[in-house]
Amino acid sequence: MKPKNTPTTSLPNAEKVMPQGEELKKAIRNLCREKNAVIMAHYYTEADVQEVADFVGDSLALAQQAAKTEADIIVMCGVHFMGETNKILCPQKKVLLPDPAATCSLAESCPADKFAEFVKQHPDHKVISYVNTSAATKAVTDVVVTSSNARQIVESFPEDQPLIFGPDRNLGGYINSITGRNMLLWDGACHVHERFSVVKLVELKKQYPQAKVLVHPECKGAIVKLADKVGSTAALLRYAIDSEADTFLVVTESGILHEMQKKAPGKQFIPVPPEDSACACNECNYMRLVTLEKVYRCLQAEAPEVEVPADIAEAALRPIQAMLEISERLGL
Ligand code: 13P
Ligand code: SF4
C-alpha cells in the first residue's frame, strides 16, 4: 500500500537517467564507495532498500551504528527522527534522508512545545522519551529510550523517583505493567501499531494453534496480552531465530518479515492484518516512502540533508548519550 495523503518531494536530479533493477543497486553501491557513504536502513523499509543497505537494524542499533561510523555521509533509510538522531550524534557528517516527507505519526503526536508545558507542570519528575520523537522533544528530556532498552532504563531510576514517559501511551503502559512503576504517560500512539485487530489475531491463533505470537510494544494492551514475545523489532527477530517453534504470527509492521524469512528460512511468518483491511500488510506509510530511486538520487545530489539547529542538537545530545551509555553498561 502506498501513502495517499503524504506529500511527495520534488527530488534533485530527477531529470538524469535512472538505472533500473540490479544496475540501480550497483550504481548505489558505486556512489557509496566514491563518496565514503554508508546506507543504514530500518527493518520496516522495503525489502530492496534493506538489501542495498550496509546496515539494517532496530532504532537502538541504528543509533549505536551511527555513533561509531567512519563514513562521511550517512544515508538514513528510515524516518526523520532517525535522521535527526544520526545528525545529533555525528554533527560533522552529512546525514541524508531519501524522502524528507518520511516523518512518524508517533513523533508527531508529541509536539515539543506542548510536551515542554507538560514537563514544566511536573517539576519533580524525570523525563523519559521514546526515541520516536523530534529533536526538540528530546531537548526537554532526561533520557531517551528505545523499545530495546526502555524497561532497563526505567528500572535504573530509584523506585520512588516520579517519572514522565512520552510519547507512546502503549509502550509506556506496557513498561508500567512489567516494572510496577506508575509513570505519567503522554497520550500518543503510532498509527500502524494501533490498527492491529484483537479479533483477527484470535482468529489466526485458532487457525495456527502452534504459532508463537510476536508483538511490538507499540501495540495496544489487549494485543500485548496475547503475545508469546513482546519486544523491539530486533528482539522479535532474535526470538524467531532462536525459538524451536516453526510458525509465527507477526504483530508489527510487515517489513520485518523480510529479515525474518532471510534469517530463519525454514520457518513460516504470518503477518497479522490491521482491523480495517483485508490485506495482511500493515505498512508504515512513512517508512515506505523510501525507495531505491530516492536513495540513488539523494546520494548523487547529497541532498536532502537533515539539519538540526545547534541549540536543540546540543540539548538533545545529552539524553541520547545517556541512553547509549546506560545501554553499553548493561550490554544492550
Ligand atoms: P524498533 O526500535 O523496535 O525497531 O521500533 C521502531 C519503530 O518505529 C517502531 O514502530
Ligand atoms: Fe513511526 Fe509507527 Fe512508522 Fe514506527 S511504524 S516509524 S512508530 S509511524
Side-chain angles (χ1 to χ4, degrees):
M1 186 177 67
K2 289 289 164 200
K4 291 191 182 73
N5 300 322
T6 319
T8 50
T9 33
S10 67
L11 286 153
N13 291 328
E15 71 283 358
K16 291 200 180 160
V17 178
M18 175 67 61
Q20 300 295 319
E22 286 307 308
E23 288 305 310
L24 179 54
K25 288 188 190 161
K26 266 192 226 154
I28 289 171
R29 295 308 323 164
N30 286 341
L31 281 171
C32 283
R33 266 189 297 278
E34 269 168 38
K35 296 179 183 240
N36 190 24
V38 69
I39 301 179
M40 298 197 193
H42 189 267
Y43 291 124
Y44 293 163
T45 51
E46 297 285 349
D48 55 3
V49 171
Q50 294 185 43
E51 284 300 310
V52 87
D54 294 278
F55 182 80
V56 187
D58 71 352
S59 309
L60 176 61
L62 290 167
Q64 287 169 326
Q65 200 66 24
K68 63 182 186 203
T69 184
E70 285 177 2
D72 296 316
I73 297 178
I74 300 173
V75 182
M76 185 60 241
C77 296
V79 293
H80 190 256
F81 75 80
M82 295 175 172
E84 280 190 332
T85 303
N86 290 351
K87 185 66 187 175
I88 292 163
L89 286 166
C90 313
Q92 311 308 333
K93 299 185 193 297
K94 257 186 197 173
V95 177
L96 307 175
L97 197 65
D99 190 327
T103 58
C104 165
S105 58
L106 180 52
E108 285 181 356
S109 70
C110 189
D113 55 341
K114 301 271 178 339
F115 192 64
E117 263 171 48
F118 181 64
V119 167
K120 230 187 209 166
Q121 285 160 14
H122 303 92
D124 55 333
H125 285 57
K126 293 285 183 197
V127 183
I128 301 177
S129 288
Y130 193 29
V131 71
N132 298 39
T133 43
S134 68
T137 297
K138 289 184 178 79
V140 292
T141 293
D142 292 299
V143 57
V144 168
V145 299
T146 75
S147 45
S148 275
N149 56 23
R151 177 190 194 145
Q152 292 87 339
I153 290 181
V154 167
E155 284 179 333
S156 73
F157 284 94
E159 269 177 51
D160 58 354
Q161 171 61 58
L163 299 170
I164 285 174
F165 187 95
D168 190 356
R169 61 174 176 256
N170 293 331
L171 175 61
Y174 170 66
I175 300 294
N176 272 344
S177 75
I178 57 174
T179 60
R181 303 288 172 120
N182 187 23
M183 298 185 292
L184 271 184
L185 306 182
W186 183 262
D187 192 18
C190 154
H191 76 295
V192 177
H193 290 87
E194 281 267 294
R195 288 172 70 206
F196 285 110
S197 151
V198 173
V199 173
K200 288 187 177 172
L201 177 54
V202 170
E203 274 168 20
L204 279 168
K205 272 171 73 77
K206 279 189 199 144
Q207 214 178 319
Y208 300 94
Q210 307 305 330
K212 297 288 181 197
V213 179
L214 310 180
V215 174
H216 196 280
E218 287 173 23
C219 294
K220 290 183 205 157
I223 296 273
V224 169
K225 281 203 179 93
L226 298 170
D228 291 292
K229 173 70 185 171
V230 183
S232 71
T233 49
L236 299 181
L237 178 63
R238 185 77 261 152
Y239 181 90
I241 295 167
D242 293 346
S243 169
E244 297 203 337
D246 62 5
T247 308
F248 302 87
L249 302 176
V250 182
V251 201
T252 189
E253 213 270 6
S254 54
I256 186 71
L257 269 78
H258 175 67
E259 193 70 6
M260 286 178 168
Q261 279 153 352
K262 207 168 128 185
K263 292 274 164 64
K267 299 184 178 182
Q268 189 183 14
F269 297 99
I270 299 155
V272 174
E275 61 195 345
D276 48 358
S277 165
C279 166
C281 303
N282 196 357
E283 294 181 347
C284 172
N285 291 350
Y286 306 107
M287 290 278 186
R288 302 307 177 114
L289 284 173
V290 184
T291 62
L292 281 185
E293 288 77 9
K294 290 177 196 172
V295 173
Y296 176 71
R297 283 183 189 144
C298 87
L299 263 167
Q300 261 193 334
E302 299 185 19
E305 248 191 276
V306 177
E307 301 286 1
V308 182
D311 55 335
I312 292 178
E314 195 188 329
L317 179 61
R318 196 181 26 82
I320 295 172
Q321 266 177 339
M323 170 185 81
L324 293 177
E325 279 161 24
I326 299 172
S327 299
E328 196 179 349
R329 200 171 348 114
L330 298 173
L332 299 170

